[in-house]
Amino acid sequence: MNDSLFKQLLHIKSRGYVFKDLNKRALVDATLEAIGHKDSKKRDDLIYPVLGHLLKDGHLSENHLKDILYVLLDSNHLMYDLDNVHAYSVLTRSFSALQIGVVLEVHLQQQLIERPAIEYAFDTFLDYFEKEQVFDGYNKEVGWMHSIAHSADVFKEFMQIPWLGETKIKLIFEAIGQKMKQSTHCFIFNEDERMAVALKSGIERHILSENYLKEWIDKVATYDKPSTLPEQIYLENNVKNFLRSLYFRLVGCEHYK
């Protein structure tokens, strides 16, 4: 991220994300290229909000928004370096996921993107989520990483797409249930809460049977206990915190009593 772009983003932020007389397409391209910047101040405070406002505030055409969705899903963004050859490459994946959630939010409000593109996004994102192996929520050197929390935000949007039916929703539930049963990492940065919010969005569709949900909970709560520490504690705490978060997300709703 060169200094001129940094100054431009600072200027845009300082005047309330007004993009008048700016080359929006060039600005989108520049922020997409820098989306996983290792400097958290530039990434979280400038790149993310500027691109987010460009996507959300009606500055882009429907075709451009669809094109950006495909870019966010490509091998230089969401699917970038899944083998983690490059240090902190998860930042590119995670913050691409965050913007995918923004695009889906816009689509839910305005129905801008045709079904095949959304289906491709769903399949690609599910593939990414199952392959992601970097689970750190926060890192002292680079700040928020949050691949799992950002994934939860994307799943929340997918859950609300009306024509995504029972089969697709179940695929999300199964993927989340499996991913949260980690024995090599302990989720401590509200990943469980974010996932509970996503799952509630799916449950509120009322297309999953009570029997399925009970069986899914039993499946999440059933696991082979590792014989070593800290793996044993990681797994137990991840499962307990995850199910607790879901319970308390639903307990106040009479419908789910």
Side-chain angles (χ1 to χ4, degrees):
M1 185 178 184
N2 57 49
D3 288 341
S4 61
L5 177 59
F6 174 57
K7 291 176 181 177
Q8 185 181 29
L9 298 184
L10 275 173
H11 179 65
I12 292 169
K13 182 177 181 179
S14 70
R15 63 177 188 168
Y17 302 102
V18 174
F19 298 94
K20 186 179 179 181
D21 301 324
L22 295 176
N23 185 332
K24 300 179 188 69
R25 184 172 288 273
L27 194 56
V28 166
D29 291 345
T31 51
L32 282 171
E33 186 175 348
I35 200 166
H37 201 288
K38 293 177 184 178
D39 185 327
S40 63
K41 289 292 184 182
K42 294 178 180 178
R43 184 185 67 249
D44 299 357
D45 298 343
L46 294 175
I47 299 166
Y48 163 63
V50 168
L51 180 55
H53 278 283
L54 282 166
L55 297 175
K56 286 184 68 172
D57 297 347
H59 299 291
L60 311 175
S61 69
E62 295 180 19
N63 285 335
H64 194 191
L65 199 66
K66 182 185 71 173
D67 291 343
I68 291 168
L69 177 60
Y70 278 112
V71 171
L72 287 166
L73 293 163
D74 71 19
S75 60
N76 292 318
H77 293 85
L78 183 70
M79 305 302 285
Y80 173 65
D81 190 33
L82 281 162
D83 293 328
N84 297 295
V85 174
H86 306 291
Y88 302 122
S89 62
V90 67
L91 292 170
T92 295
R93 301 191 296 272
S94 179
F95 281 82
S96 294
L98 198 58
Q99 298 291 1
I100 290 168
V102 173
V103 175
L104 292 175
E105 182 184 354
V106 173
H107 171 71
L108 281 166
Q109 295 169 352
Q110 303 177 45
Q111 302 298 308
L112 296 177
I113 302 174
E114 67 268 25
R115 184 165 174 163
I118 297 296
E119 289 177 336
Y120 175 77
F122 179 90
D123 293 340
T124 303
F125 194 83
L126 197 65
D127 182 41
Y128 154 73
F129 183 70
E130 291 172 348
K131 291 176 178 176
E132 181 61 78
Q133 294 297 316
V134 180
F135 307 130
D136 305 69
Y138 185 83
N139 177 282
K140 288 184 178 180
E141 289 188 31
V142 297
W144 292 110
M145 299 171 77
H146 251 345
S147 65
I148 300 303
H150 291 172
S151 293
D153 297 346
V154 176
F155 283 136
K156 178 173 71 71
E157 303 302 331
F158 274 126
M159 294 279 203
Q160 298 174 72
I161 295 176
W163 53 262
L164 276 180
E166 178 184 358
T167 300
K168 297 288 191 183
I169 300 302
K170 283 182 176 179
L171 286 175
I172 298 176
F173 270 69
E174 298 301 323
I176 291 174
Q178 186 62 37
K179 187 64 80 174
M180 297 305 288
K181 294 166 70 171
Q182 293 299 323
S183 62
T184 60
H185 177 86
C186 191
F187 295 116
I188 61 172
F189 290 101
N190 293 327
E191 294 89 347
D192 53 320
E193 292 286 347
R194 301 270 275 271
M195 284 297 178
V197 170
L199 292 168
K200 185 181 179 185
S201 291
I203 292 170
E204 288 175 338
R205 293 277 305 280
H206 304 298
I207 59 176
L208 301 178
S209 70
E210 183 175 332
N211 186 59
Y212 169 77
L213 291 170
K214 288 179 176 178
E215 289 180 352
W216 176 81
I217 290 170
D218 286 341
K219 187 186 297 184
V220 173
T222 303
Y223 52 85
D224 294 327
K225 185 180 294 187
S227 59
T228 57
L229 294 173
E231 289 80 7
Q232 184 182 118
I233 302 300
Y234 287 168
L235 178 55
E236 289 177 347
N237 283 347
N238 285 336
V239 171
K240 286 191 293 185
N241 290 337
F242 175 49
L243 293 179
R244 283 170 179 160
S245 293
L246 183 58
Y247 173 82
F248 284 108
R249 184 64 54 177
L250 299 173
V251 69
C253 306
E254 184 64 26
H255 184 81
Y256 305 122
K257 188 172 182 179

